Structures are given as structure tokens and as C-alpha cells.
Amino acid sequence: MSYRTSLSVVLAEFVAPAAERTAREARFPREAVSALGRAGLLGLTVAPEFGGGGLGLPEAVDVVARTARVCPATAVVLMSHFAAVAAIESCGGSWVREEVAAGRHLVGLALFEGESGGPGEEDPYGRPCSVASGFADVVALRGRKRSVVAAGEADSYLWSSRPIAGPDGLTLWVVPARAPDLFVPERPDGGGPGGSGTATLRADPVLVPADVMLGRDGGGLGILLRCVRPWLLELRAAADGPPAGPTSGAIPGPASCAIPGPGVGAGPGVPRPGADALRPGGERSTPGDEERPGGDVLRPAPAA
């Protein structure tokens, strides 16, 4: 069965029946996401040797565009997931690839730290406020990421921090959602379509194995510019396509899709990938609550 046929079945049987309730109650579309996973659509862009579909950006764009016409929240979840998977695929070797390919794993982007137009966007070099400290084979991540799609719902997050060694650049990590002390505030900051699970994610700190680093220490900006940015530009354009149906509409680009770095906005001088867009990795595509003193009430960010 082709991915387009599989998508049609999932949209008709799972996404459409729940779309109005998802928007009205701001309820995360868990059944729809699980169905997308079982149909192989979460693993659409993972390499075949890991059990994925081996397809690329054009097919991911098609999936997001068709989903957005039925349920904007589900489309935004897919947009964030596909962009994060593109980064994971570009580096290879991540423990998460087989799980994504098997449809059991949803990935979110945890990159944005400031309010729109606020202090988190002032650094032209994209230096995160989040920090990482190494202790033998363990790394402690500390920071706060705003407007994370599927916060508390995803199984892992693509997280950015300052490098462990050296003052320059940024480092990317694939942080498991079940990591202790990874929290979603009890009062989420909202943003994105209702039901997309968009909220703040806080590491206070989170201890992870050093091998969940994606790429090299300090090399994360290149991955964001080479992989995540072009995917988000195309996927966001697809999600903002012509509306169809009472629960559809233009999908605002969530702040979690903002990529730090010089000149990375969708403005003049930023090329948009064409029909021969790259597959992940550069290949050409063939079409319990806790009270914090003086702070928020926090709850863990469990993997669903």
C-alpha cells in the first residue's frame, strides 16, 4: 500500500472524526498520531535499512499538507516531528531511528527559548541559554524551551544547548521524554493550534547519557541550517495551504520552529528548497506534580 493510500485511510478513520473535538477541547490527537505510526507515516523519512519508508521532503510536505486540511493540530505535530527526524537522519546512528521507523516514537523540537521578538532572539549567532555539563559518560542539561509542540506527549525531543567545551556554537541532543526532571509547567504557555500540545519544557537539570549528543559538540548550528531549517520552511508552507473544512485554517508557524542563527528567517536571501529537495542527510529525494519555590507548578513530561 502506498503512503498516500495509507494516509487517506488514517485521515478518514482517525484524524477527521476527532478533528473538531481536538480543536474545541485542545486535546492532543493521540489516537491519530498512533494511527499514523502504525501506518508507517511517522517513519516515512527514515532510511529503509532501519525499517523506514526511505522517502524525503516532498512526501513529508504532501503528508503535512493533506493532514492540515483535516486537522491543523495533527499537521503541526507532524511538521515538528519530520523536521526533527531530518536532523537525526543526517547524523545517523541515533538509537531513536528504529523506534521512529516502527511507528512507536514521536519526536519534538525543543529549540526556542525567548518570547517572540524577545531576548531569546537577540543573539545573532544563536547561542542558547540552555547549558550542558559533562561528567564522565553523563551530561546534565539545564534550561527552558518555549512553545514546544507535543510537549509532554512526544517520546523524545531535539534539544539545543551551549557546547560542553568552548564558548562558541551550539550542541544538539536527543533527549528521552522519560528522563528524570524534564517537566512541563502546569500552566502551559499555549501557542499553535488547539490540541497541538504546545507548551514550555524545562530541564532542571536533566541527566542523559553522553551518547545522545547529535553530531559533534558545538556543531549543532550546521545541522539546524542544513537540515531543520529547509524542512521547516517547506513543511510550514504546506501547513499554511488553502483551508478546507470548519476546523481547518492557516496554521501559524509555532515559535518552536524558530531556528537560531544569523539570517535564518524566511526572508530575502534565504533560498527555499525546490522539487529536488534533499532527503535527510543530504541525499537527493525521489518523490506527579511538584511545587518549586517561587516558580511554576511543574509536572513531569511523560512519554505517552
Side-chain angles (χ1 to χ4, degrees), residues 3 55-62 230-231 234 271-279 283-287:
Y3 84 89
L55 300 178
L57 180 54
E59 293 81 10
V61 165
D62 182 42
W231 279 63
E234 289 296 309
R272 292 178 63 86
D276 61 344
L278 300 179
R279 276 201 54 221
E283 232 178 286
R284 293 284 170 184
S285 170
T286 54

Side-chain angles (χ1 to χ4, degrees), residues 171-193:
T171 301
L172 295 176
W173 311 85
V174 182
V175 178
R178 295 188 184 276
D181 295 314
L182 187 65
F183 293 98
V184 178
E186 192 65 28
R187 297 182 293 277
D189 54 10

Side-chain angles (χ1 to χ4, degrees), residues 174-252:
V174 182
V175 178
R178 295 188 184 276
D181 295 314
L182 187 65
F183 293 98
V184 178
E186 192 65 28
R187 297 182 293 277
D189 54 10
S196 61
T198 303
T200 293
L201 199 61
R202 181 183 294 180
D204 196 29
V206 169
L207 300 181
V208 295
D211 61 5
V212 303
M213 182 189 295
L214 197 63
R216 63 176 179 84
D217 189 32
L221 182 58
I223 299 172
L224 295 181
L225 298 180
R226 183 176 69 250
C227 302
V228 178
R229 180 183 67 174
W231 279 63
L232 282 178
L233 287 172
E234 289 296 309
L235 293 169
R236 185 181 298 159
D240 284 337
T247 64
S248 298
I251 297 177

Side-chain angles (χ1 to χ4, degrees), residues 93-151:
S94 174
W95 57 272
V96 78
R97 296 167 80 187
E98 291 183 358
E99 289 296 299
V100 173
R104 297 187 293 261
H105 204 94
L106 179 69
V107 192
L109 292 174
L111 304 174
F112 185 76
E113 295 184 342
E115 304 291 351
S116 179
E121 295 179 332
E122 288 176 359
D123 185 356
Y125 300 99
R127 189 166 184 253
C129 296
S130 299
V131 296
S133 305
F135 308 92
D137 294 331
V138 176
V139 174
L141 299 174
R142 186 186 298 272
R144 184 195 313 218
K145 302 295 183 177
R146 298 186 183 275
S147 298
V148 178
V149 173

